[in-house]
Amino acid sequence: MKKKFTEIIVYGRGGQGAWTASVLLARAALKTGKYAQSFPEFGPERSGAPVRAYVRISNEPITLRASITHADYVIVIDQTLLNKAIAVSREDGTIVTTFKESTEELKKILDGFKGTVWYVNAFQIALDIIGRPITNTAMLGAFVKATEEKFVTLDALIEATKEVLSVKLPEDILNKNIEAIKRAYDEVKKL
């Protein structure tokens, strides 16, 4: 039976906004006219512990309510978790990662991975624009570009970001997150 939805895992560390990223992505998918679900997986984790958040996107209602073991796409918001992302990606899956070292270093880490990889230095983008190394929104911009807006448009992501984060962040920080989304969208590259 053919799967009717796309599965995405967002990998980060506690406090980096992996769950928030999954919520923004699902909300943007809804704005694009799709069905979506988002949920985190963590226990009583401390700040800095690995966290996974899940997103499913479909053109039809989604009835499955289970964690994702092997994703079509993995968004890595903390490059130290890249090996974990490789382990949960489908063999032909796509990884969209932040990476601040050379492409040669990235290739070494990915040795044997047969899927597609997109990368951007979201760490530097976040430092430059937001002033803190919080890469979750930038990585969503990179994901939208890497998927050629197949699931979510850039405009829908920006609109969802405004809706969700405007209640959590001051306007200037919200605007900086939107700027980070746009810059990562422009700078992400396929390996």
Side-chain angles (χ1 to χ4, degrees):
M1 183 169 93
K2 187 174 187 242
K3 186 175 71 160
K4 298 179 181 179
F5 45 77
T6 299
E7 294 179 311
I8 303 157
I9 296 175
V10 182
Y11 243 119
R13 294 193 178 277
Q16 292 180 323
W19 185 11
T20 298
S22 73
V23 169
L24 294 175
L25 189 56
R27 176 78 61 104
L30 294 172
K31 293 189 164 303
T32 308
K34 301 194 181 301
Y35 292 88
Q37 64 178 213
S38 162
F39 54 99
E41 178 182 271
F42 56 83
E45 311 292 359
R46 70 188 191 314
S47 181
V51 172
R52 286 198 282 194
Y54 305 110
V55 182
R56 285 192 180 93
I57 300 173
S58 179
N59 290 321
E60 301 174 22
I62 302 167
T63 57
L64 180 63
R65 303 283 186 254
S67 61
I68 299 168
T69 55
H70 289 89
D72 302 298
Y73 296 89
V74 182
I75 301 169
V76 184
I77 64 174
D78 185 313
Q79 77 178 44
T80 64
L81 298 171
L82 192 49
N83 284 327
K84 290 182 181 287
I86 293 166
V88 298
S89 176
R90 292 191 191 286
E91 187 173 304
D92 62 345
T94 298
I95 294 175
V96 183
T97 187
T98 182
F99 201 76
K100 58 184 178 180
E101 276 79 36
S102 69
T103 54
E104 290 75 29
E105 286 297 314
L106 181 56
K107 287 176 184 177
K108 283 181 197 173
I109 293 170
L110 294 166
D111 185 39
F113 180 68
K114 294 175 177 49
T116 305
V117 177
W118 289 76
Y119 66 99
V120 66
N121 191 344
F123 180 84
Q124 192 61 53
I125 291 170
L127 284 178
D128 291 349
I129 296 172
I130 301 168
R132 297 180 63 202
I134 306 295
T135 63
N136 62 339
T137 52
M139 288 310 302
L140 291 179
F143 173 80
V144 170
K145 177 69 171 274
T147 58
E148 299 175 331
E149 300 191 33
K150 180 178 178 181
F151 308 108
V152 171
T153 65
L154 183 60
D155 289 341
L157 176 60
I158 290 169
E159 191 177 331
T161 301
K162 287 178 182 177
E163 284 179 7
V164 174
L165 296 185
S166 66
V167 298
K168 297 180 179 184
L169 299 174
E171 187 176 354
D172 64 322
I173 302 298
L174 171 63
N175 291 334
K176 288 177 180 183
N177 275 274
I178 291 168
E179 185 180 342
I181 288 170
K182 291 177 182 177
R183 183 168 155 193
Y185 180 94
D186 291 337
E187 292 182 12
V188 68
K189 297 175 190 157
K190 188 174 181 181
L191 186 63

